[in-house]
């Protein structure tokens, strides 16, 4: 079954929209493993933590695909690829191999044209537009299917409601 993967810079609506969309289509929602992991961490995260986050996200997504429902992911391997490159200047084999095999997923790239919402786990309020371009460039280089969501929450929901998914 095709996965719908929400992606994009911090505070661009991924969690709000992925939860809404999963409910809207009666799909299976896959949360962001990084948030679950980091909320329980009582120290600064490391490269090894990021590798564990990648493994956790991958396993949650693969487990959800076994269900007989459309899978809607709050985030995916693309976010982790960018995070690893920008934060630690590393590549994670699991991330790269899963992206190469991800030709049947549809990515929903959320534009950061909505107000920043502070959150203790968010790191960079000031480079969201640059990051959006980085995401879009990488989606194109990897030849992944994607749709850009922008505008108000109501507009984004309307676009998602009209999205035609393969059977």
């Amino acid at each position: 079954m095709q996965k719908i993967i929400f992606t994009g810079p911090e505070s661009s609506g991924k969690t709000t929209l992925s939860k809404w969309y999963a409910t809207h289509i009666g799909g299976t929602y896959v949360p962001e493993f990084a948030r679950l992991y980091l909320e329980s961490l009582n120290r600064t995260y490391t490269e090894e933590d990021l590798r564990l986050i990648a493994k956790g996200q991958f396993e949650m997504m693969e487990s959800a695909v076994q269900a007989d429902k459309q899978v809607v992911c709050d985030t995916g391997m693309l976010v982790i690829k960018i995070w690893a490159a920008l934060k630690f200047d590393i590549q994670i084999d699991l991330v790269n191999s899963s992206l190469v095999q991800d030709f049947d997923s549809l990515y929903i790239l959320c534009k950061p044209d909505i107000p920043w919402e502070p959150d203790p786990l968010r790191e960079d309020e000031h480079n969201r537009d640059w990051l959006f371009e980085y995401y879009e460039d990488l989606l194109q280089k990897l030849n992944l299917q994607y749709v850009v969501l922008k505008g108000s929450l109501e507009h984004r929901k309307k676009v998602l409601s009209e999205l035609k998914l393969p059977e």
Side-chain angles (χ1 to χ4, degrees), residues 10 38 41 43-51 53 78-92 120-124 127 130-131 134-135:
E10 295 175 308
L38 294 173
L41 200 63
R43 58 176 169 72
T44 303
Y45 65 88
T46 65
E47 286 181 29
E48 183 56 29
D49 291 315
L50 193 53
R51 292 178 195 286
I53 288 167
L78 190 70
V79 169
I80 298 170
K81 179 174 182 62
I82 291 172
W83 187 8
L86 296 178
K87 186 74 174 180
F88 296 112
D89 194 26
I90 61 170
Q91 298 286 319
I92 300 173
L121 296 179
R122 292 188 177 140
E123 297 183 18
D124 192 357
N127 289 313
W130 176 84
L131 272 170
Y134 191 95
Y135 273 90

Side-chain angles (χ1 to χ4, degrees), residues 26-64:
T28 299
Y29 171 74
V30 177
E32 179 185 17
F33 184 81
R35 180 164 290 281
L36 304 171
Y37 183 91
L38 294 173
E39 284 177 340
S40 65
L41 200 63
N42 292 320
R43 58 176 169 72
T44 303
Y45 65 88
T46 65
E47 286 181 29
E48 183 56 29
D49 291 315
L50 193 53
R51 292 178 195 286
L52 293 171
I53 288 167
K55 184 177 185 288
Q57 188 68 44
F58 179 81
E59 289 173 352
M60 284 181 15
M61 291 167 64
E62 289 304 302
S63 177

